[in-house]
Amino acid sequence: MRILVIEDNRDILANVLDYLELKGYVVDCAQDGLSGLHLAATQDYDLIVLDLMLPGIDGLQVCKRLRDDAGRDTPIIMLTARDALPDRIKGLQAGADDYLIKPFALSELVARIEAILRRCQGSRRRQLQVADLCYDLDTLEASRGGQPIRLNPIGHKLLAILMQRSPAVVRREALEDAVWGDHVPDSDALRSHIHQLRQVLDKPFAKPLLHTVHGLGFRLAEDCDAR
């Protein structure tokens, strides 16, 4: 299980990170709202632990943007020192699944994580579909019109991101960061992999799904004016 922790307090972050890793979770971290939002929108996580008070943008905005703009349904536990009822309601209305008041016991955090993951198991959308294109995030099997599609490892990453964000445009920089991080091979690397993906995704079929939005990036959609 992979968890993202967005928390600006270094002591709390270190304690949560150590405890979750001891429990067998793979954990990524961010210490401000914008960095956390970027990770949450471009990577796949089973759950997000999100602090309310963050530099950059606060936890409420991170939560809202993930739900409304990025279309992410990743479960979110919101952490906050605010224990007033209106504050808790705001967090839940923004899209949080649970609300934990600081200070909290690490054992309670893990118990809440396990409870949410049990509820979500089997109900979360793990099968992506755009038109007749299907992709299973668990088995990594892709098919279009019932015909299997074979992809290389980078093709798998690109397809998952583009399908998760469909029909939105995914910027080149976001794709490069998701695939290579800070070590992008060269300026033509993404173009080459998009070409390979288009060859297996669209070439054998009558209607293209993968579209280039010039000057911005790429989108995966059944109908698109930008070619």
Side-chain angles (χ1 to χ4, degrees):
M1 291 289 183
R2 191 178 179 200
I3 293 178
L4 172 63
V5 180
I6 308 173
E7 167 65 64
D8 66 320
N9 185 301
R10 293 187 178 185
D11 292 334
I12 294 176
L13 182 62
N15 289 335
V16 170
L17 172 63
D18 290 344
Y19 196 80
L20 291 180
E21 288 183 339
L22 282 174
K23 293 296 181 179
Y25 293 102
V26 176
V27 185
D28 289 345
C29 302
Q31 291 184 270
D32 64 84
L34 289 173
S35 298
L37 176 61
H38 175 71
L39 284 173
T42 59
Q43 304 290 322
D44 285 322
Y45 295 100
D46 296 286
L47 184 138
I48 298 169
V49 178
L50 174 64
D51 185 33
L52 178 61
M53 300 301 294
L54 293 166
I57 58 174
D58 64 22
L60 288 177
Q61 288 300 313
V62 172
C63 197
K64 287 178 181 178
R65 292 190 190 184
L66 279 177
R67 299 303 192 222
D68 298 339
D69 299 338
R72 292 284 186 157
D73 62 354
T74 310
I76 295 174
I77 296 179
M78 190 166 283
L79 306 178
T80 181
R82 297 179 178 178
D83 59 356
L85 179 59
D87 292 319
R88 298 199 299 272
I89 290 175
K90 284 181 181 178
L92 296 172
Q93 288 176 336
D97 297 88
D98 201 355
Y99 204 95
L100 190 57
I101 305 297
K102 295 179 179 179
F104 55 87
L106 292 171
S107 57
E108 181 181 3
L109 174 61
V110 169
R112 288 174 181 258
I113 289 172
E114 291 174 346
I116 290 177
L117 291 178
R118 281 196 302 270
R119 291 199 301 268
C120 293
Q121 195 168 19
S123 64
R124 284 185 64 199
R125 182 185 169 202
R126 301 293 297 178
Q127 181 84 24
L128 303 176
Q129 183 164 357
V130 176
D132 59 348
L133 174 65
C134 298
Y135 186 65
D136 192 308
L137 291 172
D138 294 316
T139 64
L140 302 183
E141 293 179 348
S143 65
R144 182 169 180 190
Q147 300 181 35
I149 294 173
R150 299 189 65 178
L151 301 167
N152 59 33
I154 290 179
H156 278 287
K157 290 183 180 181
L158 293 173
L159 181 61
I161 296 167
L162 288 165
M163 291 188 74
Q164 286 168 336
R165 299 291 302 277
S166 175
V169 176
V170 184
R171 291 184 174 274
R172 293 180 55 91
E173 297 83 0
L175 289 172
E176 289 175 339
D177 185 68
V179 174
W180 294 291
D182 295 328
H183 306 287
V184 180
D186 58 59
S187 59
D188 292 327
L190 180 62
R191 181 184 304 173
S192 174
H193 285 286
I194 288 290
H195 174 75
Q196 293 178 40
L197 182 60
R198 185 175 274 124
Q199 289 295 106
V200 297
L201 203 63
D202 285 342
K203 190 174 181 179
F205 302 94
K207 181 179 290 187
L209 294 178
L210 180 55
H211 308 279
T212 300
V213 182
H214 295 290
L216 291 176
F218 306 91
R219 68 183 298 192
L220 197 65
E222 187 169 11
D223 297 305
C224 183
D225 294 331
R227 293 291 189 267

